């Protein structure tokens, strides 16, 4: 009986390509840039999604909006949608509504805010957000709609979570949601975060490194370049500090093959402009270091190591060195490979896409961390190109159809 119902839903979803295109088109046109990206927020997208779902008779829609005076609506929407199954145990699919800016529009071959099919391959679409993270939202909506249209009550309940603010820190998104509704996910629920993945659909991300962004400020003394003895050259001291980053990396030399790359990484990145002219010796330098740290180390240990390096450089060059935290996100315990969500996902991917999955870790960060740090197993998986944030962001409608079928399959227990 249950098997028949499942086949009915999977068959209905198989014809979902046009629906995926329409949803993608509407969502991209509504943008959803957060205020830190000079946008007016996610409200229009949230309103659209809510009315789209209500048209199918889906009425259990809870708002956990975060007040934010920087956007016209005064709030950043977060939505929890529930479609009851036979059991209260819920498969959650989480998507973020915000996107990143288009960047240099000259690098796009099409209008980034109009979803466009490839001339030679109509399954391939371009537009900002089509991969990151609208495919997750689209698939969740498609499964919900298919259940209603087919009149099917699945074994598990389906929960959709649409959040704001993923691209600019999560404070108005998942963090707000957990602060307001700490128990909305129950023990035994399955949590899917389709915000990273692979083109072959085989990669399940179960672990993330800790992230520490540091800003280093080197303060020397500015002077005329023709009389360098009168000052303290901050650029030279900063250069020594940057070369020292490699020594810090050697100290944190553990390897863990679940991750790619399999080590902690420490990468000097942004550098602020110093003096505008050639004949002034700079007295102040500011640069940043992006650290991705294996879970076997604490971020405090890393910070201490960089502060010690700063003190050494300060002594050698007669400058002051401050090392400040820009962002700190400790690693959470990985989702076990034998957790219910991973086991169910592997089975569904095998059934729908015909491939075997493998589990691994990445240096990036998704909202899965917010679940893992609360002891909730969350799997990050999607069938995507992994071209988020790039110009000409692309996705396949068939990826969305397949992912929706995978989630639908996970709702049935036999
Ligand atoms: Zn994303």
């Amino acid at each position: 009986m249950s098997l028949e119902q499942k086949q009915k839903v999977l068959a209905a979803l198989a014809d979902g390509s046009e629906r995926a295109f329409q949803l993608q088109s509407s969502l991209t046109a509504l943008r959803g840039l957060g205020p830190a990206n000079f946008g007016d927020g996610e409200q229009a997208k949230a309103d659209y999604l809510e009315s789209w779902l209500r048209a199918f008779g889906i009425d259990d829609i809870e708002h956990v909006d975060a007040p934010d005076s920087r956007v016209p609506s005064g709030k950043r929407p977060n939505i929890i949608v529930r479609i009851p199954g036979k059991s209260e145990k819920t498969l959650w699919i989480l998507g973020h509504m915000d996107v990143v800016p288009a960047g240099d529009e000259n690098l796009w071959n099409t209008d980034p805010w109009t979803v466009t099919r490839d001339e030679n391959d109509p399954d391939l679409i371009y537009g900002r957000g089509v991969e990151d993270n609208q495919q997750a939202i689209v698939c969740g909506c498609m499964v919900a709609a298919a259940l209603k249209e087919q009149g099917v009550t699945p074994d598990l309940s389906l929960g959709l979570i649409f959040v704001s603010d993923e691209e600019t820190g999560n404070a108005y998104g998942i963090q707000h949601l957990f602060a307001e509704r700490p128990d909305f996910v129950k023990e035994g629920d399955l949590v899917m975060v389709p915000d990273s993945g692979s083109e072959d659909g085989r990669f399940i991300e179960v672990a993330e490194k800790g992230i520490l962004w540091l800003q280093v400020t080197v303060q020397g003394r500015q002077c005329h370049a023709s009389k360098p003895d009168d000052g303290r050259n901050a650029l030279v001291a900063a250069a020594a500090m940057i070369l020292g980053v490699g020594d810090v990396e050697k100290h944190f030399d553990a390897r863990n093959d679940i991750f790619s790359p399999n080590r902690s990484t420490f990468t000097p990145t942004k550098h602020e402009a110093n003096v505008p002219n050639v004949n002034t010796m700079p007295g102040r330098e500011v640069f940043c270091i992006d650290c991705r740290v294996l879970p076997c180390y604490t971020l405090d240990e890393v910070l201490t190591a960089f502060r010690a390096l700063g003190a050494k450089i300060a002594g050698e060059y007669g400058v002051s060195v401050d090392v400040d935290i820009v962002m700190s996100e400790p690693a959470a315990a990985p989702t076990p490979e034998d957790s219910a969500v991973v086991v169910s996902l592997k089975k569904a991917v095998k059934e729908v896409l015909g491939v075997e999955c493998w589990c691994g870790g990445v240096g990036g960060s998704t909202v899965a961390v917010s679940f893992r740090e609360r002891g909730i197993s969350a799997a990050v998986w999607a069938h995507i190109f992994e071209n988020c944030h790039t110009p000409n962001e692309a996705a396949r409608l068939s990826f969305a159809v397949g992912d929706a079928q995978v989630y639908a399959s996970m709702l049935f227990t036999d």
Side-chain angles (χ1 to χ4, degrees):
M1 181 63 187
S2 178
L3 186 64
E4 231 170 72
Q5 303 268 290
K6 172 167 138 181
Q7 294 309 340
K8 204 165 141 186
V9 175
L10 293 189
L13 286 168
D15 295 326
S17 171
E18 196 54 37
R19 178 170 279 171
F21 180 76
Q22 282 165 8
L23 275 165
Q24 286 279 23
S25 300
S26 302
L27 292 171
T28 289
L30 293 169
R31 303 196 183 203
L33 289 161
N37 279 322
F38 309 103
D40 52 12
E42 303 85 352
Q43 193 60 49
K45 260 177 156 167
D47 291 344
Y48 169 81
L49 288 166
E50 177 163 357
S51 57
W52 194 93
L53 289 164
R54 283 192 189 280
F56 290 92
I58 296 159
D59 286 322
D60 188 345
I61 299 177
E62 184 183 354
H63 292 258
V64 193
D65 301 340
D68 189 347
S69 59
R70 297 172 299 168
V71 291
S73 68
K75 57 192 194 310
R76 310 290 294 282
N78 298 295
I79 298 177
I80 303 173
V81 182
R82 292 179 177 84
I83 295 102
K86 289 173 192 153
S87 155
E88 274 191 17
K89 183 170 160 176
T90 302
L91 169 69
W92 294 99
I93 302 169
L94 188 146
H96 63 83
M97 295 181 284
D98 58 320
V99 297
V100 293
D104 182 353
E105 296 203 9
N106 292 319
L107 298 174
W108 286 74
N109 301 321
T110 60
D111 174 4
W113 304 108
T114 305
V115 171
T116 310
R117 292 179 192 265
D118 187 272
E119 279 175 19
N120 304 313
D121 182 354
D123 184 53
L124 184 60
I125 56 169
Y126 303 99
R128 177 54 86 224
V130 294
E131 171 174 302
D132 182 19
N133 186 223
Q134 288 168 193
Q135 185 167 306
I137 294 172
V138 165
C139 293
C141 287
M142 284 169 59
V143 176
L147 292 172
K148 286 289 174 183
E149 284 176 325
Q150 301 304 317
V152 169
T153 303
D155 296 331
L156 301 194
S157 295
L158 172 65
L160 308 179
I161 310 164
F162 301 146
V163 295
S164 291
D165 196 31
E166 193 272 345
E167 301 290 0
T168 47
N170 293 311
Y172 299 86
I174 191 70
Q175 286 171 11
H176 178 79
L177 194 59
F178 270 117
E180 294 289 313
R181 300 278 282 103
D183 300 321
F184 81 97
V185 174
K186 302 275 182 279
E187 208 183 323
D189 287 357
L190 311 182
V191 177
M192 287 295 308
V193 181
D195 200 13
S196 182
S198 63
E199 199 174 337
D200 61 10
R202 293 181 57 228
F203 177 58
I204 303 174
E205 189 257 84
V206 293
E208 295 171 7
K209 293 176 189 173
I211 303 179
L212 181 65
W213 289 353
L214 298 174
Q215 176 168 293
V216 180
T217 305
V218 178
Q219 190 68 53
R221 196 166 67 243
Q222 181 177 311
C223 66
H224 197 284
S226 66
K227 296 179 178 173
D229 302 341
D230 291 354
R232 297 284 184 189
N233 193 329
L235 176 60
V236 172
M241 177 91 186
I242 289 168
L243 291 175
V245 171
D247 297 332
V248 175
E249 180 158 336
K250 274 181 208 141
H251 178 73
F252 294 94
D253 62 351
R255 296 287 188 268
N256 182 341
D257 287 329
I258 197 176
F259 291 98
S260 172
N262 68 354
R263 65 184 197 281
S264 303
T265 58
F266 305 87
T267 311
T269 53
K270 186 171 99 170
H271 177 254
E272 285 182 11
N274 54 17
V275 293
N277 51 315
V278 176
N279 58 347
T280 295
M281 191 172 87
R284 181 183 150 90
E285 291 288 341
V286 179
F287 69 95
C288 294
I289 307 168
D290 175 305
C291 311
R292 308 284 163 143
V293 183
L294 290 180
C296 62
Y297 301 115
T298 67
L299 299 182
D300 267 349
E301 288 174 84
V302 174
L303 179 63
T304 302
F306 276 107
R307 287 200 166 140
L309 173 65
K312 178 170 157 267
I313 299 292
E316 282 172 21
Y317 291 85
V319 296
S320 72
V321 178
D322 288 312
V323 179
D324 298 307
I325 295 172
V326 177
M327 203 263 287
S328 166
E329 201 171 87
T335 290
E337 285 203 44
D338 60 357
S339 61
V341 64
V342 174
V343 170
S344 168
L345 174 62
K346 278 185 173 171
K347 183 167 168 269
V349 172
K350 173 90 188 177
E351 179 190 345
V352 173
L353 302 178
V355 296
E356 300 281 352
C357 288
W358 62 279
C359 293
V362 297
S365 173
T366 70
V367 296
V369 169
S370 301
F371 291 91
R372 290 182 188 139
E373 69 192 12
R374 288 169 172 81
I376 303 163
S377 294
V380 179
W381 172 88
H383 195 184
I384 52 174
F385 292 118
E386 275 283 306
N387 65 6
C388 58
H389 301 208
T390 64
N392 305 304
E393 180 177 347
R396 286 199 170 277
L397 296 168
S398 53
F399 290 171
V401 166
D403 287 14
Q405 289 178 312
V406 166
Y407 306 137
S409 172
M410 291 172 76
L411 289 170
F412 294 87
T413 48
D414 54 30

